[in-house]
Structures are given as structure tokens and as C-alpha cells.
Amino acid sequence: MKTLFPGKDAALQDTIERFQAQLTAHDFNLANIDNAAWHNPIPNVWSVQIQDADAPMNVTMGKGTSQDAALASALGKLIERLATNDFYANRYLGEAIATGEFVHYPNEKWFPIDLEENLPPEGILDERLTQFYDPTLELLGTDLIDLQSSNMARGICTLPFERQNDSEIINMPVNIIGNLYTSNGIAAGNSKAEARNHALCEIIERHIKNRILAKQTRLPAIPESVLSRFTSIKESIDALEAHGFDVQGYDASLGGQYPVVCVALSHQDSNIRLASFAAHTSIELALERAVTELVQDHNVDELKALMDPSTVGEAGNEHFTPESLLAESTGLIASAQLETESATELADWSFGGNSEEQFNHLMGLLHAEGADVYIADYDHLRVDCCRIIVPGWSEVAPVDDLIEANNNVALELREVLLALPAVEWDEEQFAEMFHIVEEEFDDDALLHRMLGLEALSGDAWQTLRVGELKCLIALAGGDLELALDFAKWSVAFNTSMYSAERMNFFRCLIDSLQLAIKEEQDPADCKADFESRFGSETVAAAWGSIEGSVQFYGLTAGNLTMSQFPAHQQLLQSYHKLQAAKKAKYC
């Protein structure tokens, strides 16, 4: 028997069959889907994680009220992240792609930069978007080079988006998309209208959630009489309450204006609640989404641990800050915000109609707020997908990040930073490199993210931060006291991230540096003790690093082909499949 959910333009079983068929047709390998990790902690709440077996870093989580609903959700998310290039948004795609026929899509446009003036060229954005993204006129042309191509010679890559209120086509820099929007506002669906509805609901949900939390708006509780109308939701809530949780639904529509709800979970005497916001034009489906989002990928004990006062402490709304969790639907929130009498009336809202009518309703809400909506549709995987940008609503990072924390910050240093483990420099050159790194980057920044590198799990590149790199540069340059300072920093900052092997090396390095700096004892007299504590191989690596025979321990040297990094090559091979699909569809 086929299942047709409200808000969906096809039965779940048909959606699953079609999505799987299109992924297979485009050579994406879901061989592991039969062994996927399923979670069903309470009735009517299912979640599943799936991944591309050939590029296992491409992974998504789906949720729903049944196994089919969760699988359809996971497949849809996998397709939307492929079709919108979201899986590759913060990865360097290599010289071959950067100089190829097209980097992102065949309809992209490139705008060369006059490097003497270094101003954003005419033809990108328009007057109102320039005012939004660059109100102080501080943006440089080079600030808008996208990380994926890093092609300074080619210039600024833009993608066409249609403004919905006047059908104007705007050239949106890929750099702005990657820095400010990530995955917010992308969706796949059984039809163009369905995909757009999903994306708009996500944007509205997260913006209204952030508005509520920022203004500490008190929300009216949804009474039992309303919740009891929805049998499957009530069954899930009853199951959670049987495990000792207090569960309450809240109307987050701000008086019926927006189709948003909140469901909050608390346990025992904790002053913290786990809150999930969700949006849909049907209040029932919004509540379903909030409950499944709240519990997905967790068992009951894990949910209790999330709200354990001993681990949460006095946390409150800082767990739901715009910078860290604007892109998330679920997080911890102070109970006090949900316990005070609400300033707004309960609105038992619901907006019906087919997908096209729901889309028009959501667009009406945004246009009534004076918001501009920009849409790019993609169907090269033979599934309707879209990316929607609503300036002022859908950003997941502050606009200031284009200047203060741009993801292309290491663009001009990528080649030398990748090559560092194999360079043959003198002390002066290493000292100059240390100075450059110190001036340009924050100590806690991860190198692989700055470089756009996909590193294997457990690889030293995966946990390498700027502070650790400064330690290794100082070591290579013979500045032992500086190296000791940053070795201590590395251990203190990376305790939870380092592998046991990496942590053992840095602890050994700290003790070895202290021994070398004091010069009060012959290291040979301590060698046996060091080897008994850290192991002979680790001691050899640490002492070799101090003596200069070992440089940048554990790091593989690379170049702009990225051929030295197996995980990155898996990602690039996956991207080549997408490029072929785009060329077949659009060219």
C-alpha cells in the first residue's frame, strides 16, 4: 500500500524508487543503504543515515514518522546537497576544474578583477544587494573569489538567481553563497513547487526561531486539546513522558503570522530544555517535523545526557546563538524563556492548498515583510531541486564575515602551506613563514578548512590548527622556546580532538623541549626513561623534530593537484560525476 503525505506531490514509495533510480543512473553508489543505521527510539519517530559508498564524506540524515518517510527524507537531502554543490562548497576543486569549461554550472558568469583597483566589478549583484552585502563599501574584488576555484586570474564566479517579485536575473557571487548561506534554503522535491516550499519553510523556521530567541519572546503553549487531535504525535509525546520527560508544544507563529511551532523537552530538575523548531503550512506536519527532529539519531539515554545539569551547567540561550546555531533547528534553551506567560495569543493556524498555492502563500509572507527572494532551480539529477536566498532572512553567518572571516582567506597561501612538510628552508625563511601565519590567521582555525582540503579521519591534517602549525614551523626553524609555547597550546586546545598517537607525540615533545631548553642534563641519560613513557618511535620523532631531522611530523606534503590526499580525491571523483550530469542536461 502506498503512502501519500499531505504536502507531498508523490507517494513515499514512488519518491524512494525515483530518487534511488536517479542516483544510480548518475553513478552514485548507495550499496550500503541496506546496512544503514536506523533509529526508532519511540513510536512514529524514525531516522536513518545514508552515504555515498564511493565518497563516504557525502552523508545525510533523514527523519520521519515511518521508515519510508525517513528514507525518502535522507535520499532527498543527499540529492539536494549534490545538485546544489553543497557537499563541495568549502572544498578546493583543483586546477583542472578551476580552469575547465565551467567550475560550478554551465550558466555561470565570470567577472575579471582589475587587481590595481581591486574593486568588485560592475555586473555582479545590483544596487540594493550591494548595499546589503557591502554597506561600508569595504569589500575588495579579491574577497569575492570563490574557494572552490581559487582562480584569481579568471576572476569572480557568479551564478544566476531570479528575483521573484520582478523576475530580474541577478549574478550572485559563489563566494557569498558559500560564506553566508551554506545549506540553508536548499531542497529537493517531487515537483518544483514542493522543493521550493521545503526551502522556504526552512528559511522561515530558522529566521523566526532566531528572532524569538534574540528578543526572548514568550510563546503560548499548545494545549492538550489541540495536540490530542494528532494521534501519531500524541503517541510519540506519551512515549517520551513515559520515560520521565516533560514535553510541551509551543505556537511560534507570532500570532498566526508564520507557520512555525516549537516542541521542547525537559528532564527532572534541569533548567535547560532541548527545543526544536519546525515550519510547515500545516500545523500538524510542523509538529511532526519538530518531534522527529528533536529525537532523531538519539536514544532516550542520550537525550537525558544532553540535558544533564552536570554537563550543561548554567547554559541558556548562548547555546542557540545566531553565529553557531542559526543553521540548526534543534538546540538547548533556558527553561525560563518557555515558562513565563506569553505576550502573544495562541493561533491554531493551518494554511491549506496544493504545493503551488502553499508556495504562493509563503512568498506572500516574505514579500509582506519587504524581503526579496532569489531562486535558482536545478534538475540535472532529474529531480527538482533549488537554492533560495532571502537576504536578511537566510544567512547562517553575519555579512561581516565576507571581510572578517572569509573562507578564501588562505587562497594565496594554499600552495606553500600544503608543501611545508617537504620544503628545504633556512631558519630565516621559517621565521618569516611563522610571522605570516601569525599575522593572517587565528590560532584555533583548522588548516584543512582554510585550504579546502578533505582529509581522512585520523589524519594529522584533519586536526591541524594554526597554533599547532606555528609549533611545527618554530621547530623546523630551530626556535625551541616558541615551539614549546605552541606545543603546550596544542595539547590544551586539542585534548578532545587528537588521536591517542598525536597526543602522545605532543606530550613527549613538550617534555623533550623542556629538557633541551634547560640543558641541565644530557638527553642520552634520559632516553630510556622517555622511551618507557612514550615509546621508542615517538621519542625518535620528537627528538628528530628538535634536532631537525624530522619536519612537520605526521603531515603529508601536497600540491595543488591534491593527489596526495585520498579522501579529497574521492570527493573530486564524486564531483566529476556531477559535472557530467550538468553537461548532459544543460549543454
Side-chain angles (χ1 to χ4, degrees):
M1 181 177 177
K2 294 187 176 181
T3 309
L4 184 61
F5 272 82
K8 299 291 185 182
D9 291 336
L12 286 177
Q13 294 78 10
D14 292 338
T15 299
I16 292 169
E17 182 179 352
R18 177 168 169 249
F19 285 7
Q20 285 184 308
Q22 293 306 326
L23 287 165
T24 300
H26 290 94
D27 203 26
F28 292 101
N29 185 357
L30 298 180
N32 297 330
I33 200 166
D34 292 335
N35 299 316
W38 288 91
H39 293 270
N40 176 218
I42 58 173
N44 309 313
V45 173
W46 287 83
S47 62
V48 63
Q49 179 175 288
I50 63 172
Q51 63 187 158
D52 180 353
D54 293 334
M57 67 289 296
N58 288 353
V59 58
T60 58
M61 175 73 68
K63 63 183 185 298
T65 57
S66 67
Q67 280 188 285
D68 281 347
L71 182 55
S73 170
L75 290 167
K77 288 182 179 179
L78 189 67
I79 289 174
E80 75 189 31
R81 296 193 67 187
L82 288 168
T84 61
N85 291 347
D86 183 65
F87 278 132
Y88 318 89
N90 291 307
R91 298 294 181 267
Y92 173 58
L93 298 176
E95 288 184 306
I97 291 176
T99 57
E101 182 181 353
F102 61 92
V103 174
H104 303 278
Y105 297 95
N107 62 355
E108 67 195 22
K109 287 188 178 181
W110 291 82
F111 293 82
I113 301 170
D114 181 340
L115 291 178
E116 288 189 12
E117 292 187 352
N118 199 11
L119 296 174
E122 292 185 7
I124 63 172
L125 306 175
D126 64 5
E127 186 176 347
R128 65 178 112 171
L129 285 175
T130 297
Q131 176 62 30
F132 179 78
Y133 292 120
D134 189 19
T136 58
L137 300 179
E138 292 180 72
L139 267 181
L140 302 176
T142 49
D143 289 331
L144 296 177
I145 300 293
D146 64 293
L147 179 147
Q148 297 95 312
S149 76
S150 298
N151 195 332
M152 193 81 73
R154 202 167 183 178
I156 298 170
C157 185
T158 69
L159 298 175
F161 280 74
E162 182 180 52
R163 188 163 54 217
Q164 296 302 292
N165 63 348
D166 60 7
S167 299
E168 184 77 17
I169 301 298
I170 297 296
N171 297 311
M172 182 70 70
V174 173
N175 176 281
I176 288 178
I177 299 169
N179 272 289
L180 302 185
Y181 298 102
T182 62
S183 65
N184 193 24
I186 64 173
N190 294 293
S191 66
K192 182 183 290 188
E194 183 186 309
R196 289 176 165 193
N197 284 340
H198 289 330
L200 286 176
C201 281
E202 180 177 76
I203 289 168
I204 291 170
E205 164 223 308
R206 292 171 180 177
H207 179 81
I208 296 304
K209 173 211 71 181
N210 194 53
R211 184 188 296 184
I212 287 167
L213 295 174
K215 295 183 177 181
Q216 297 190 334
T217 305
R218 312 301 179 182
L219 302 177
I222 299 175
E224 187 78 12
S225 59
V226 174
L227 293 175
S228 62
R229 299 204 311 255
F230 313 126
T231 306
S232 65
I233 298 171
K234 189 66 172 64
E235 189 177 0
S236 300
I237 290 174
D238 289 345
L240 285 168
E241 290 177 340
H243 284 286
F245 292 101
D246 176 54
V247 186
Q248 180 61 62
Y250 296 90
D251 173 24
S253 69
L254 301 182
Q257 296 180 77
Y258 313 100
V260 184
V261 298
C262 170
V263 174
L265 195 67
S266 61
H267 187 253
Q268 295 179 346
D269 297 324
S270 174
N271 67 335
I272 291 297
R273 293 191 182 189
L274 185 64
S276 178
F277 288 75
H280 195 280
T281 51
S282 159
I283 190 171
E284 178 179 8
L285 295 183
L287 283 166
E288 277 187 3
R289 288 183 177 183
V291 172
T292 54
E293 177 77 29
L294 196 66
V295 186
Q296 72 164 342
D297 200 30
H298 293 298
N299 60 41
V300 171
D301 289 335
E302 288 170 337
L303 287 172
K304 292 176 181 177
L306 285 173
M307 292 172 285
D308 187 338
S310 66
T311 57
V312 172
E314 296 300 318
N317 276 10
E318 67 267 20
H319 287 269
F320 243 144
T321 59
E323 293 80 4
S324 62
L325 281 173
L326 180 55
E328 303 296 334
S329 299
T330 302
L332 299 172
I333 182 173
S335 295
Q337 179 154 344
L338 300 174
E339 291 173 349
T340 307
E341 185 175 346
S342 169
T344 60
E345 296 284 332
L346 171 70
D348 186 1
W349 49 265
S350 193
F351 312 102
N354 59 30
S355 292
E356 195 68 42
E357 290 167 332
Q358 291 173 24
F359 170 72
N360 291 333
H361 176 79
L362 296 172
M363 287 296 303
L365 295 180
L366 291 166
H367 283 154
E369 289 263 2
D372 285 325
V373 180
Y374 299 84
I375 300 181
D377 297 304
Y378 302 107
D379 64 349
H380 48 281
L381 295 180
R382 303 299 192 269
V383 173
D384 286 301
C385 299
C386 67
R387 178 183 286 278
I388 300 182
I389 292 174
V390 186
W393 280 66
S394 58
E395 293 77 28
V396 299
V399 171
D400 288 349
D401 275 9
L402 293 174
I403 296 173
E404 303 296 333
N406 201 299
N407 66 7
N408 74 5
V409 65
L411 183 154
E412 295 183 85
L413 288 171
R414 179 185 289 114
E415 188 169 12
V416 68
L417 289 172
L418 286 170
L420 271 179
V423 298
E424 296 181 6
W425 288 351
D426 58 28
E427 292 182 4
E428 186 175 335
Q429 288 173 302
F430 279 117
E432 178 63 21
M433 191 72 236
F434 184 96
H435 175 73
I436 292 171
V437 169
E438 186 169 52
E439 286 289 312
E440 296 291 332
F441 311 128
D442 294 332
D443 286 346
D444 60 352
L446 283 164
L447 261 293
H448 76 89
R449 290 182 181 170
M450 289 166 44
L451 300 176
L453 168 66
E454 182 68 36
L456 284 172
S457 177
D459 190 289
W461 277 103
Q462 191 181 52
T463 55
L464 179 67
R465 295 183 185 273
V466 169
E468 180 186 343
L469 180 67
K470 287 161 74 173
C471 169
L472 299 176
I473 293 172
L475 266 179
D479 192 332
L480 301 189
E481 291 190 358
L482 196 57
L484 177 59
D485 288 342
F486 282 98
K488 291 179 178 177
W489 179 93
S490 298
V491 167
F493 199 93
N494 291 291
T495 299
S496 63
M497 290 190 64
Y498 275 157
S499 65
E501 177 188 357
R502 197 77 178 159
M503 181 60 75
N504 188 49
F505 168 76
F506 270 96
R507 292 194 187 283
C508 179
L509 180 63
I510 289 170
D511 287 1
S512 302
L513 283 167
Q514 290 172 334
L515 178 66
I517 290 169
K518 288 179 181 178
E519 297 183 346
E520 297 173 353
Q521 198 169 5
D522 186 348
D525 296 336
C526 305
K527 188 174 183 181
D529 174 56
F530 270 66
E531 289 181 342
S532 69
R533 291 161 55 202
F534 302 109
S536 58
E537 290 185 6
T538 301
V539 172
W543 289 21
S545 297
I546 294 171
E547 295 162 357
S549 60
V550 174
Q551 284 192 180
F552 298 89
Y553 172 71
L555 295 178
T556 300
N559 57 39
L560 294 183
T561 68
M562 313 299 269
S563 60
Q564 302 82 6
F565 306 104
H568 200 92
Q569 290 304 304
Q570 287 180 315
L571 196 73
L572 291 184
Q573 289 164 15
S574 168
Y575 193 70
H576 281 297
K577 297 174 188 177
L578 280 180
Q579 294 296 79
K582 295 168 192 171
K583 193 167 185 176
K585 172 67 179 179
Y586 301 131
C587 297

